[in-house]
Amino acid sequence: MATQALSRETLHRKTMGCWLGKAVGGTLGQNFEGQEGPLAATFYTPVPDEMIPNDDLDIQVVWAYLLDREERPRVSRDLLRTGWLEHIEFPWNEYGVGIRNLRAGIRPPWSGSHDNWYRNGEGAVIRTEIWACLAAGDPELAARYAYEDACIDHADDGLNAALFMASIEAAAFTESDVDALLDIGMSAIPADSVLARTVADTRKWCAEGLDWQEVRAHVMQEYGSVDFTDVRMNTAFFVIGWLLGRDFSERILICNNCGQDTDSSTASLGAVLGIIDPDGIPQEWLEPIGRDLVLSPEIVGIEHPATLDGFTDLVLDLRERIDYAEPEFDDPGPAPVAGLAVQLGFTDFLDRAHIGSRFLPKPHEAMPEMPAGTRETYLDGTVHRMARADFESDVAVINYRFRVDSDRRVRVMFNTTEQMIAWLDGEFAFARETGGRGEAGSMCPAVHGPPVNQSVVRSLSAGEHELRVLVRRPVQQREAEWVVGCADPQTGMWLDGAFDNVIG
């Protein structure tokens, strides 16, 4: 095995370089996260006086803690599942969906694929470094470890990206050529995946002599997404920075300045560069962040090393204890069938007592009755897509029922691309218009913070409640898309069991 030629001193330097590079990239990118780009950052903004906590690293500290507690540590999705349920309180995007599914008894890998709008998010690719360090020099094993992690809250390219990155990072302990490492990453994912096409196209555009802004423009035109955490475009930005920058600083700045999920893509690139050349990270980037290991308050109930040096020692000890053992997992059983029971009707007639001429509700009016021909049916789940041709009339009228387990404040969300109006328990809740030419509205169906006019916070009593939504047929030829959800407005977490999104 390639790592047999690496001394513990070399492994320590490269593992430490990994965490330092990741901390630099994550700290640089965090204050630009979600900005579209292109950006023009030249250094930390503002300059920190310590490492900024970041979920990218936080969750990997949890994984090390869980493994270290085991008498015979083995990488396992079933072990990592306990981390999500007992030690991680991040409500964000696929994290929240994964925790919701796990709490509902859905086991990985189904917890990552079931009713998950964010299956292609960045949440798994950003926590692959620990698997690379535990399988240093063995990219195939690192990818298998990364799968056990990623399948808990991702599927499709969200999972593929984790295999891609873990392979590159593990190989970077013994290989430094950029193209060779990218080839290794590509070999870990399906050749017909969107992610593979994105990386291949990005490499081609970089080889054509275009500058980074021009390559970024091509990426956004071909693979840009309404979801700023989408792995396809963010992995492309990782590739752009790596190929078109000349040194550590220029590479992470190019990656960051491509925009979107800046802390994630830039942290990944910083980690890879730190593995390849730990001494190549300039002191000007290291001095402001120090070496203290600072975690987010959403990480609970664990003990962890106080410094990155201590964390590096812990990971190296785990590498020796695991000794390149294959992952272990129990049979998860059959995949659950997603489905959400609703009443669904269609109408061309908009009662002007309730609806204004521009498809906006008139204030203080009661919600309209369900139209004639309404039927009981199942939608795909909390996530649903409906082609324009499947709208039987101009307006779909959907009646959802959900349950609240106690008297409490609740955020109810209905995020859609289309014009819509929603009533909660008979009272107007919220509405949105799309553009005058029927452009799709923004999608960010995160129950901790959906787009404006896509949710309401109300005090609800224990028991069943009703959300009635009018969704207008798309003006343009496209799918209407929507996500419905209920959350605790304080924690941002999905409410357990509010929507029964499993058939049978």
Side-chain angles (χ1 to χ4, degrees), residues 31-78:
N31 288 318
F32 300 97
E33 182 182 21
Q35 295 187 33
E36 182 177 348
L39 309 173
T42 58
F43 197 56
Y44 298 122
T45 307
V47 178
D49 55 12
E50 65 176 359
M51 184 182 80
I52 296 177
N54 196 318
D55 56 295
D56 300 30
L57 180 56
D58 293 345
I59 296 174
Q60 299 186 76
V61 176
V62 176
W63 298 163
Y65 166 79
L66 292 172
L67 288 164
D68 188 47
R69 288 192 311 174
E70 297 292 300
E71 181 178 351
R72 175 179 171 270
R74 292 292 182 268
V75 178
S76 162
R77 69 190 69 166
D78 300 303

Side-chain angles (χ1 to χ4, degrees), residues 15-289:
T15 302
M16 188 67 190
C18 171
W19 303 128
L20 288 172
K22 188 168 185 67
V24 168
T27 301
L28 167 63
Q30 194 161 97
N31 288 318
F32 300 97
E33 182 182 21
Q35 295 187 33
E36 182 177 348
L39 309 173
T42 58
F43 197 56
Y44 298 122
T45 307
V47 178
D49 55 12
E50 65 176 359
M51 184 182 80
I52 296 177
N54 196 318
D55 56 295
D56 300 30
L57 180 56
D58 293 345
I59 296 174
Q60 299 186 76
V61 176
V62 176
W63 298 163
Y65 166 79
L66 292 172
L67 288 164
D68 188 47
R69 288 192 311 174
E70 297 292 300
E71 181 178 351
R72 175 179 171 270
R74 292 292 182 268
V75 178
S76 162
R77 69 190 69 166
D78 300 303
L79 176 66
L80 304 183
R81 170 182 173 275
T82 66
W84 285 107
L85 295 176
E86 297 177 8
H87 302 296
I88 300 169
E89 297 181 349
F90 293 130
W92 310 316
N93 302 1
E94 61 265 46
Y95 297 167
V97 173
I99 292 171
R100 178 201 71 189
N101 287 343
L102 292 174
R103 286 177 175 172
I106 299 170
R107 296 180 59 188
W110 316 129
S111 56
S113 59
H114 181 79
D115 201 15
N116 184 3
W117 192 86
Y118 283 104
R119 58 175 56 201
N120 289 311
E122 282 270 287
V125 70
I126 61 178
R127 54 184 198 250
T128 54
E129 288 80 17
I130 188 169
W131 312 128
C133 293
L134 294 179
D138 190 340
E140 293 181 357
L141 180 62
R144 291 194 290 275
Y145 286 167
Y147 180 93
E148 297 303 299
D149 178 3
C151 73
I152 295 174
D153 57 340
H154 292 79
D156 302 338
D157 277 336
L159 196 155
N160 290 333
L163 310 187
F164 172 84
M165 194 66 68
S167 300
I168 288 174
E169 291 163 342
F173 278 84
T174 55
E175 174 62 69
S176 61
D177 181 77
V178 178
D179 285 314
L181 288 169
L182 286 171
D183 288 344
I184 288 169
M186 290 287 278
S187 70
I189 63 177
D192 60 351
S193 63
V194 177
L195 179 67
R197 296 201 304 273
T198 306
V199 172
D201 281 345
T202 303
R203 296 176 73 179
K204 175 175 68 71
W205 293 323
C206 288
E208 290 173 353
L210 305 178
D211 64 31
W212 71 263
Q213 293 98 329
E214 292 170 322
V215 178
R216 179 196 173 277
H218 281 303
V219 169
M220 292 303 296
Q221 181 176 351
E222 295 296 324
Y223 301 107
S225 171
V226 297
D227 173 16
F228 79 86
T229 73
D230 189 290
V231 290
R232 281 73 69 104
M233 62 182 178
N234 285 292
T235 301
F237 301 154
F238 162 90
V239 174
I240 292 172
W242 198 5
L243 289 178
L244 297 186
R246 292 167 295 183
D247 55 24
F248 181 91
S249 296
E250 188 173 21
R251 284 167 167 160
I252 64 168
L253 285 168
I254 288 174
C255 181
N256 178 81
N257 289 340
C258 285
Q260 306 297 336
D261 201 357
T262 49
D263 63 327
S264 296
S265 56
T266 310
S268 293
L269 181 55
V272 171
L273 297 175
I275 295 170
I276 294 172
D277 182 13
D279 297 328
I281 307 175
Q283 280 300 119
E284 63 178 343
W285 290 104
L286 295 174
E287 288 175 2
I289 65 171

